Amino acid sequence: MSWRSLRVSPCRTHHLDEHGRPAYGERFDEVLKFHPPGLAPVLRQAAAWHVHSDGSAAYERRFERTFGYYEGLAAVTARDSWHHVTADGTDAYTGRYAWCGNFQQGRCTVRDANGDYFHITPHGEDAYPTRWRYAGDFRDGTAVVQAADGRSTHIRAEGSLV
């Protein structure tokens, strides 16, 4: 059975196959949908991780929350900070953030401890030096950002204004 055909059950405790049957015997407190490379976030008793299509754990580590994989990396929360992990559960980089989103077009929006937004690369490096009141996802090579004065504009992947 392919993970691509699995969907979240109405009760959100497991996944269903294309015939509406449970894909595995495990039940969780919450599951989210599968993403490439074929893993889905699950939560049980305040521990979160990713599972394969048969419900088995993809790795041994546990987090407070896990989210779907985008461009090969998944956002996770652990010890009051956010970062990304690879498919085997290892940290993608050493940095930690107050919040982070999903990778889109090689960039991910993050918020630092000061409440400022910016984008990072898959290696956790700052994509540019500027900080913003808000920064959105990259689409078609640009992202919306909002300056401290409340004015919004768009930037390119390296941080230059459009």
Side-chain angles (χ1 to χ4, degrees):
M1 153 178 40
S2 169
W3 62 268
R4 293 182 189 277
S5 64
L6 300 181
R7 66 183 193 280
V8 175
S9 68
C11 64
R12 302 182 58 86
T13 63
H14 60 286
H15 293 92
L16 303 173
D17 68 14
E18 63 272 10
H19 304 291
R21 296 182 302 237
Y24 46 78
E26 290 285 332
R27 295 298 179 265
F28 301 96
D29 295 338
E30 181 184 24
V31 301
L32 298 176
K33 70 183 212 172
F34 280 88
H35 288 267
L39 301 175
V42 299
L43 176 69
R44 183 189 290 144
Q45 297 177 356
W49 63 98
H50 291 90
V51 296
H52 297 285
S53 61
D54 64 0
S56 66
Y59 48 78
E60 291 185 30
R61 277 181 92 180
R62 298 297 182 257
F63 302 96
E64 292 175 5
R65 284 298 307 230
T66 53
F67 299 92
Y69 281 87
Y70 289 82
E71 298 185 4
L73 300 174
V76 299
T77 63
R79 292 186 220 111
D80 298 326
S81 67
W82 293 62
H83 66 284
H84 290 89
V85 296
T86 62
D88 65 3
T90 60
D91 295 345
Y93 48 78
T94 58
R96 297 294 182 266
Y97 302 97
W99 174 86
C100 59
N102 299 318
F103 275 91
Q104 303 287 332
Q105 298 186 328
R107 298 290 185 265
C108 178
T109 306
V110 297
R111 186 178 68 233
D112 65 19
N114 297 322
D116 294 326
Y117 289 81
F118 59 102
H119 293 93
I120 61 170
T121 70
H123 300 291
E125 300 162 343
D126 293 3
Y128 50 79
T130 310
R131 299 297 185 258
W132 304 98
R133 179 190 285 179
Y134 170 81
D137 289 340
F138 273 90
R139 298 269 192 248
D140 300 322
T142 64
V144 67
V145 292
Q146 186 180 69
D149 65 5
R151 297 179 72 186
S152 297
T153 189
H154 288 86
I155 60 169
R156 295 179 185 88
E158 78 285 351
S160 66
L161 297 178
V162 172

